[in-house]
Amino acid sequence: MSAFVPDGLHPVHADHPGTGNAAVPAVLTLTGERTIPDLDIENYWFRRHEVVYQRLAARCAGRDVLEAGCGEGYGADLIAGVARRVVAVDYDQTAVAHVRSRYPRVDVLRANLAELPLPDASMDVVVNFQVIEHLWDQAQFLRECARVLRPSGLIMVSTPNRITFSPGRDTPINPFHTRELNADELTQLLVDAGFAEVASYGLFHGQRLHEMDQRHGGSIIDAQIARAVADAPWPPELAADVAAVTTADFDIVEAGLDPARDIDESLDLIAIAVRP
């Protein structure tokens, strides 16, 4: 969560592209488009994204992995701890320079996700977390993912659940999102792109976050957004709770396995599918 919308990005520094001089900074400005580590005010949103990397990283062990839309790069670096190789692609030149500087074990490239700069059947896993909602041509992107995956390769996608993220709206709340999805729409996109064996999961608040929700008027998310929109100071209790959130405070549940956790009530959607 940024100072005004989810997926915030705090200013950080990296080598300026093309200079070869580490003393020249490239600054990722706070736009609301991405989230990053090590910033208390962003911590809820960062942990909500990080937990998916942590819990799915084992599926990347010993494999050639593409992260399509790497943003700040923390997720690609986490996967690099278990994968044989991680290639990260992002369209933003400054973000690419930052990843190249901060995460040397990640091979980062600047490219349009609708035209991935990789050979056919060159990857074992494609990771696309909190990105597809930003894309104008989601179908073309997924076809590209199928092209670069080897047979039996995996695609893993996470995205905000449109039903709970932008409830009752025809257009997304976040101005950086072009099209948000519900679980059925995400599954259909994957099937239409040629993927099979689609498994769907929902991300939910765990017990400690439910307790925080109750302390802050029923929703710690709404409490953050209200202060951000009003440009108002955060109460110390809210700031402390947000800073204390960890990945253990989120539950990821496969669709249909828990009658009390309807995927249409989840906060984020996760889909894993196979390239036949």
Side-chain angles (χ1 to χ4, degrees):
M1 178 71 189
S2 74
F4 102 98
V5 289
D7 303 326
L9 181 62
H10 180 65
V12 290
H13 297 278
D15 291 352
H16 191 280
T19 65
N21 183 353
V24 180
V27 179
L28 300 182
T29 56
L30 182 61
T31 66
E33 190 172 4
R34 303 178 181 90
T35 189
I36 68 160
D38 306 323
L39 181 64
D40 284 352
I41 200 171
E42 291 279 315
N43 186 58
Y44 168 85
W45 297 98
F46 171 69
R47 300 303 178 189
R48 179 165 153 177
H49 294 182
E50 183 189 33
V51 64
V52 182
Y53 287 100
Q54 285 186 348
R55 299 196 189 168
L56 297 186
R59 296 174 182 261
C60 300
R63 295 182 166 187
D64 295 326
V65 179
L66 166 66
E67 181 167 24
C70 63
E72 192 274 344
Y74 66 88
D77 186 64
L78 186 155
I79 292 170
V82 299
R84 178 167 53 198
R85 179 190 181 206
V86 176
V87 177
V89 174
D90 202 277
Y91 188 72
D92 186 272
Q93 185 172 353
T94 305
V96 168
H98 170 75
V99 174
R100 187 170 290 130
S101 173
R102 184 168 182 177
Y103 303 114
R105 61 184 178 174
V106 174
D107 296 329
V108 62
L109 304 170
R110 181 176 183 266
N112 189 326
L113 298 189
E115 298 178 357
L116 293 171
L118 295 168
D120 295 356
S122 57
M123 291 286 129
D124 299 308
V125 181
V126 173
V127 171
N128 181 247
F129 293 161
Q130 302 294 325
V131 172
I132 196 169
E133 66 276 6
H134 294 259
L135 304 181
W136 288 104
D137 195 339
Q138 296 170 343
Q140 168 61 18
F141 164 67
L142 291 176
R143 287 192 294 268
E144 277 290 276
C145 292
R147 179 185 66 79
V148 303
L149 277 170
R150 297 172 178 133
S152 300
L154 294 181
I155 184 168
M156 303 194 292
V157 180
S158 75
T159 190
N161 181 3
R162 174 172 56 80
I163 297 172
T164 59
F165 200 78
S166 297
R169 290 175 59 97
D170 294 329
T171 57
I173 289 174
N174 188 319
F176 295 99
H177 293 180
T178 62
R179 180 195 178 198
E180 294 172 356
L181 304 163
N182 63 30
D184 289 342
E185 291 164 343
L186 178 57
T187 295
Q188 192 62 53
L189 275 172
L190 287 162
V191 170
D192 290 347
F195 289 97
E197 302 176 38
V198 181
S200 298
Y201 303 79
L203 180 144
F204 300 84
H205 281 181
Q207 181 59 41
R208 203 166 74 106
L209 272 167
H210 281 308
E211 293 169 1
M212 292 183 188
D213 284 332
Q214 295 310 306
R215 286 201 293 273
H216 301 289
S219 172
I220 193 171
I221 300 171
D222 290 348
Q224 293 175 80
I225 292 173
R227 270 68 180 191
V229 169
D231 196 22
W234 285 31
E237 298 82 1
L238 176 62
D241 275 350
V242 168
V245 173
T246 73
T247 56
D249 295 321
F250 297 93
D251 295 336
I252 295 176
V253 180
E254 187 170 1
L257 289 189
D258 183 348
R261 301 287 186 92
D262 185 338
I263 194 167
D264 286 339
E265 297 175 358
S266 66
L267 299 170
D268 293 332
L269 304 169
I270 300 155
I272 302 173
V274 178
R275 184 234 193 252

